[in-house]
Amino acid sequence: MTLKVKNALHVEKSLYKDVLILESESLGNLVLDPVYQEMIAHLPLASHPNPKKVVIGGGDGGVVREVLKHDTVQEVVLPSSASRRHTLPYMSSLLASPKVRVYVGDGFKFLADNEGTYDVIITNSSDPVGPAEYLFQKP
């Protein structure tokens, strides 16, 4: 298979990973590692008999997009330390859905205050090893 790239729409090198969004001639826009958001969303939702209320811990809106593909989902809350509405419009476009609420604040506090309220909780966080290891250590 050959992939002909028309344009690099977004290129960013952060301290933790490279972000690359490409426009291809035959496949449209491609995000590096496009399977990640689908796997993190669809597997837990498929394992619940009737997911209506979902919390997604962090992210840019891509997991929200995938969660909203499930007809049973009525409410999605995205607790986040900052609003991501303006970073990658393709990813964050469904944050404006009436089913979605972005809660800017401490996600752990949000969950503690809403214990037992949600059917599925999806954590979109870093691995406890590698560059984000310090996030999982005691101060």
Side-chain angles (χ1 to χ4, degrees), residues 67-118:
V67 165
L68 289 176
K69 291 179 180 178
H70 292 258
D71 293 335
T72 61
V73 173
Q74 298 171 352
E75 178 185 356
V76 179
V77 177
L78 177 68
S80 183
S81 58
S83 175
R84 306 257 193 297
R85 291 177 192 257
H86 303 294
T87 54
L88 298 172
Y90 169 73
M91 297 293 196
S92 62
S93 63
L94 288 178
L95 294 179
S97 166
K99 293 182 176 184
V100 176
R101 178 166 59 105
V102 176
Y103 169 86
V104 179
D106 183 341
F108 291 114
K109 181 176 179 348
F110 177 85
L111 287 175
D113 292 345
N114 293 280
E115 190 174 327
T117 305
Y118 292 91

Side-chain angles (χ1 to χ4, degrees), residues 16-17 33 36 40 57 123-137:
Y16 307 108
K17 65 181 178 179
D33 194 10
Y36 173 76
I40 198 173
T123 304
N124 186 4
S125 77
S126 303
D127 291 327
V129 295
E133 188 173 349
Y134 74 95
L135 295 172
F136 297 89
Q137 298 173 351

Side-chain angles (χ1 to χ4, degrees), residues 22-91:
L22 305 173
E23 180 183 13
S24 74
E25 284 193 1
S26 59
L27 299 175
N29 295 346
L30 301 172
V31 178
L32 186 66
D33 194 10
V35 178
Y36 173 76
Q37 292 163 335
E38 294 161 350
M39 295 293 286
I40 198 173
H42 299 300
L43 290 176
L45 290 174
S47 69
H48 191 284
N50 192 23
K52 293 181 180 180
K53 298 176 82 176
V54 179
V55 173
I56 301 169
D60 54 14
V63 178
V64 170
R65 181 191 67 234
E66 296 302 317
V67 165
L68 289 176
K69 291 179 180 178
H70 292 258
D71 293 335
T72 61
V73 173
Q74 298 171 352
E75 178 185 356
V76 179
V77 177
L78 177 68
S80 183
S81 58
S83 175
R84 306 257 193 297
R85 291 177 192 257
H86 303 294
T87 54
L88 298 172
Y90 169 73
M91 297 293 196

